[in-house]
């Protein structure tokens, strides 16, 4: 497995470096933002802390989002029958080949998470302990795992191009469900208040919502593991569709 992991890092070294540089840049921006707006002096009340926390969360989401755009490149180099035949001839077989891809993505996301956590600790100190995006970071990390769990089986089965397209359809479908809820669901808790941001944060911290949020890490990890098992089963079928 170590050899397969080395191969993935070697082949994708440019995209891995790009991912790390993007994450570091986004995290530097959060620190500079804290310094330039005055640090702890800029926190006048809870609303200000909430607003700054959401800005930091958006920057951290960008730190995870841009590296995810290189996911398809992880599979493109192996999308031919020669590489697939070589992978299946190894002692680990197709199973090891697929699992190494999942390990690579997991290591990449954990590395970005570590960089973001380091940035958040520095920002937390600058803000005098009044602003932290730790919860948002964990949710973003789990969301990226869940998106990868959805995307990779399609990439393994249909190729990187078609897999990304199908993932886009799935994410668009989820987005449409959210929009339908906002158009036709009960959002009086959001529209009947003067500060929608504060209302949204209070909703996230409410009893029912916080329960499902607490389950989200377990759901995303389980989905990632299940996705890996499914991809192992799909690998041979997907290899039959590749050209020489």
């Amino acid at each position: 497995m170590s050899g397969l992991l080395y191969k993935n890092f070697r082949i994708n070294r440019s995209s891995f470096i790009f991912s790390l540089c993007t994450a570091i840049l986004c995290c530097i921006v959060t620190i500079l933002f804290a310094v330039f707006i005055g640090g702890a002096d800029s926190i006048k009340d809870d609303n200000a802390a909430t607003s700054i926390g959401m800005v930091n969360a958006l920057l951290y989401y960008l730190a995870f989002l841009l590296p995810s755009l290189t996911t398809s490149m992880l599979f493109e180099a192996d999308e031919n029958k020669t590489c697939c035949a070589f992978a299946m001839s190894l002692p680990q077989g197709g199973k090891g080949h697929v699992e190494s891809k999942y390990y690579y993505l997991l290591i990449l996301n954990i590395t970005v998470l570590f960089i973001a956590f380091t940035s958040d600790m520095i920002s937390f100190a600058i803000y005098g302990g009044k602003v932290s995006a730790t919860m948002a970071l964990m949710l973003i990390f789990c969301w990226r795992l869940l998106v990868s769990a959805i995307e990779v089986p399609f990439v393994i089965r249909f190729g990187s191009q078609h897999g990304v397209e199908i993932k886009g359809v799935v994410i668009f479908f989820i987005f449409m469900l959210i929009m339908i809820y906002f158009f036709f669901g009960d959002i009086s808790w959001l529209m009947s208040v003067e500060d929608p941001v504060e209302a949204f944060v209070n909703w996230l911290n409410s009893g029912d919502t916080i329960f499902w949020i607490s389950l989200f890490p377990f759901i995303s990890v389980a989905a990632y593991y299940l996705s890996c098992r499914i991809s192992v089963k799909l690998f041979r079928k997907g290899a039959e569709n590749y050209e020489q």
Side-chain angles (χ1 to χ4, degrees), residues 94-196:
K95 180 175 181 290
H97 173 77
V98 172
E99 287 180 351
S100 69
K101 305 291 186 182
Y102 277 84
Y103 280 126
Y104 172 87
L105 292 174
L106 183 61
I107 292 171
L108 174 60
N109 281 301
I110 289 176
T111 304
V112 174
L113 180 65
F114 174 77
I115 295 171
F117 264 137
T118 302
S119 168
D120 191 57
M121 286 190 296
I122 296 173
S123 299
F124 183 76
I126 295 173
Y127 287 121
K130 298 178 181 179
V131 177
S132 175
T134 301
M135 181 178 177
L137 274 173
M138 288 305 302
L139 291 177
I140 294 169
F141 173 76
C142 293
W143 169 249
R144 292 314 315 169
L145 283 187
L146 186 60
V147 171
S148 295
I150 296 172
E151 177 184 9
V152 175
F154 289 112
V155 173
I156 293 289
R157 177 60 181 84
F158 300 106
S160 57
Q161 183 61 42
H162 295 297
V164 171
E165 292 172 355
I166 295 172
K167 182 197 74 170
V169 171
V170 172
I171 293 177
F172 177 76
F173 177 74
I174 295 174
F175 175 76
M176 288 303 297
L177 290 178
I178 296 173
M179 292 303 297
I180 290 172
Y181 173 77
F182 271 92
F183 278 118
F184 302 104
D186 181 16
I187 56 172
S188 57
W189 54 271
L190 184 63
M191 304 301 295
S192 61
V193 295
E194 295 182 358
D195 190 347

